[in-house]
Amino acid sequence: MAADLRAIRADITALDVDGIVNAANNSLLGGGGVDGAIHRAAGPELLEACRKLAGCETGDAKITPGFRLPARYVIHTVGPVWHGGERGEPERLASCYRRSLAVALEHGLRSLAFPSISTGVYGYPIERAASIAVDTVYAITRDRNDLTSIVFCCFSAGDLAVYQAILDDLPDR
Ligand code: AR6
C-alpha cells in the first residue's frame, strides 16, 4: 500500500511523527523561519548535534535526533535560493525531497513531515515549489510500503490551498 500523502496547516514543531524535515542553510547552524522554530523547540542539543555534521550541500540531507521535539528525528535539508529558475533550482529542490526520503528510509522512519522548502526566505514561488514537492514524493512513495504517512506541513492557508489542489490532481486518489 502506498504512503498516505496529505497537506495540513500546522506548526511543524508540534507534529508527533517519526521525522520532521528542516529547511536549513548550508551551515546547518540555525537561522530564521522554520529552521529557527525547530531549533527553539528542540533545544540547544540540536545545535550541538548539527555542529558535528559540518554543513550540508544544497539538495542534500542529514539527520539528527529530535531532542525535545515530539518528532524522533530531524532531517536537515538545504533548498536552493530562487534566482528565476534557470540556475538548477527545480532539480536541486527535487533533490531535497529525494535525499530526505532516502535518509528517512535508511533510518527506518515511516512517517515524515515536510515544510514548504525554499518558499520562505529563499523566495521559491509556492506553486512551482509545491508541484515539485508533491510530484517528487509521489513518484518515490507510490510503489513502496515502508513509508506510511507523508505530511506537507503548510504555515499559511494560502499555501495549504496550493498543496491541496495539487494533491487532489494526483492519479488514483
Ligand atoms: N512550521 C511549518 N512551516 C513553517 C514554520 C513552522 N513553524 N515556520 C515557517 N514555516 P523558510 P527557506 C514555513 O524561510 O525558504 C532560514 O533562515 C514558511 O512560512 O523557513 O527554505 C534557514 O536557516 C515557509 O512556507 O525556509 C535558511 O537560511 C516555509 O516554512 C533559510 O531560512 C519555508 O520558509 C531557508 O529558507
Side-chain angles (χ1 to χ4, degrees):
M1 206 186 75
D4 179 58
L5 269 50
R6 68 180 61 193
I8 63 169
R9 185 180 180 195
D11 175 353
I12 202 166
T13 65
L15 299 183
D16 187 3
V17 287
D18 292 339
I20 62 171
V21 175
N22 182 16
N25 58 59
N26 295 118
S27 78
L28 296 187
L29 298 180
V34 71
D35 194 7
I38 288 172
H39 275 270
R40 278 193 300 278
E45 299 98 325
L46 182 60
L47 184 58
E48 286 311 307
C50 284
R51 280 191 208 289
K52 297 183 183 133
L53 299 176
C56 185
E57 297 289 323
T58 302
D60 199 1
K62 296 187 176 182
I63 192 166
T64 65
F67 298 104
R68 301 178 199 179
L69 291 165
R72 284 164 48 216
Y73 293 96
V74 178
I75 295 175
H76 307 264
T77 190
V78 184
V81 177
W82 178 256
H83 289 293
E86 302 295 324
R87 295 206 209 165
E89 295 96 326
E91 176 48 39
R92 285 172 164 200
L93 186 61
S95 176
C96 289
Y97 289 92
R98 279 198 296 270
R99 286 288 305 138
S100 295
L101 289 170
V103 169
L105 286 165
E106 283 165 18
H107 288 79
L109 279 59
R110 295 175 70 79
S111 58
L112 202 59
F114 284 96
S116 186
I117 300 164
S118 281
T119 66
V121 174
Y122 283 179
Y124 210 116
I126 181 67
E127 287 84 1
R128 297 189 199 205
S131 287
I132 289 170
V134 172
D135 289 351
T136 305
V137 170
Y138 179 69
I140 292 170
T141 58
R142 70 182 152 199
D143 298 323
R144 319 188 55 113
N145 54 17
D146 46 3
L147 286 162
T148 52
S149 159
I150 307 289
V151 167
F152 296 100
C153 181
C154 301
F155 212 44
S156 72
D159 288 358
L160 178 61
V162 170
Y163 271 86
Q164 196 58 60
I166 297 166
L167 285 165
D168 287 346
D169 277 350
L170 287 177
D172 65 47
R173 286 169 60 89

